[in-house]
Amino acid sequence: MPEISPNKPYRIGRSRTGLGLFATKPIKKGTKIIRYFGPLLDCNKKKDDAVENKYLFQITSRWTIDGSVRKNVARYINHSCKPNAESDVRKKKRRVDIRAIKDIAPGEEINYDYGTDYFKEYLKPIGCKCEACEKKRRKLRAAAREEKKRLKAKAEKRTAAARGRKLNGHKAVGSVTRKTKTGSAAVKTGTAKKRSKPSR
């Protein structure tokens, strides 16, 4: 891991995606944080065009920076769909600087949007792990749990209502039977008393 001067407002640290670059001092919006550098590759040359790694930074259709060199600390900056920095590309000078687009607090990870092509090729197949996407996934998982809970409660309520209807039906039939039996017993008792009286 390359050494960083204590005067620099950043450090390399452990991130959710491996290593990342973190602010050690407050960085104001608009501040140039670091330069993204490395050998320039001429894509018109077969040898240069054949170079493949995930640290290639395309400046124009012809020129690309190979940022895989150890001294390029900017290569540790991770992608974010809601970044706090951006890449400031100066095509004529073939230079790329990373600049803050928000105030960045000490301890906060520095990140920028890698662009659509990189996202499709490297991040989409495995799923973007930036804080914004993780937050979105957590929200979706929580909503799915709530929906599952709601459907379960609805199903239980429906089952309880169905049981209640069956029980009410049984009670109604039972009470009619009891009334009928009681009534017939009374009739029988009355008849017996009449027969026991002496005839005149």
Side-chain angles (χ1 to χ4, degrees), residues 34-191:
I34 192 172
R35 182 182 167 201
Y36 195 100
F37 72 92
L40 275 173
L41 302 176
D42 186 346
C43 298
N44 290 342
K45 293 178 181 176
K46 246 184 183 180
K47 186 185 172 184
D48 285 1
D49 198 40
V51 174
E52 277 294 326
N53 67 63
K54 61 180 181 178
Y55 299 110
L56 297 177
F57 198 116
Q58 190 173 359
I59 302 170
T60 65
S61 57
R62 180 178 178 182
W63 297 105
T64 296
I65 297 171
D66 181 0
S68 62
V69 293
R70 187 178 168 82
K71 286 183 180 179
N72 179 32
V73 177
R75 71 185 179 138
Y76 292 103
I77 301 176
N78 288 311
H79 164 86
S80 176
C81 294
K82 287 190 176 177
N84 53 23
E86 68 179 359
S87 55
D88 182 10
V89 182
R90 284 182 269 178
K91 294 178 182 180
K92 285 183 181 178
K93 290 188 177 182
R94 298 173 196 158
R95 181 185 170 108
V96 176
D97 292 310
I98 308 302
R99 196 177 299 278
I101 56 171
K102 295 177 183 176
D103 289 340
I104 303 171
E108 195 177 338
E109 186 174 1
I110 300 162
N111 44 54
Y112 67 95
D113 190 339
Y114 284 6
T116 309
D117 292 340
Y118 188 98
F119 186 91
K120 283 179 181 175
E121 191 171 346
Y122 292 101
L123 301 175
K124 197 175 181 180
I126 58 168
C128 181
K129 291 181 174 67
C130 78
E131 180 56 37
C133 289
E134 286 290 347
K135 193 176 178 182
K136 192 177 177 182
R137 276 193 287 272
R138 283 196 296 268
K139 199 174 178 182
L140 287 170
R141 283 195 295 266
R145 282 195 299 271
E146 283 301 313
E147 180 64 11
K148 195 176 178 181
K149 201 188 285 182
R150 189 186 70 79
L151 290 171
K152 189 181 177 183
K154 195 176 178 182
E156 285 173 357
K157 195 175 177 183
R158 206 177 287 149
T159 305
R163 280 182 193 154
R165 281 196 296 274
K166 283 180 183 177
L167 288 171
N168 288 340
H170 286 306
K171 280 178 185 174
V173 172
S175 59
V176 169
T177 307
R178 280 196 295 276
K179 279 179 184 176
T180 308
K181 283 180 181 176
T182 309
S184 59
V187 171
K188 283 175 185 176
T189 308
T191 310

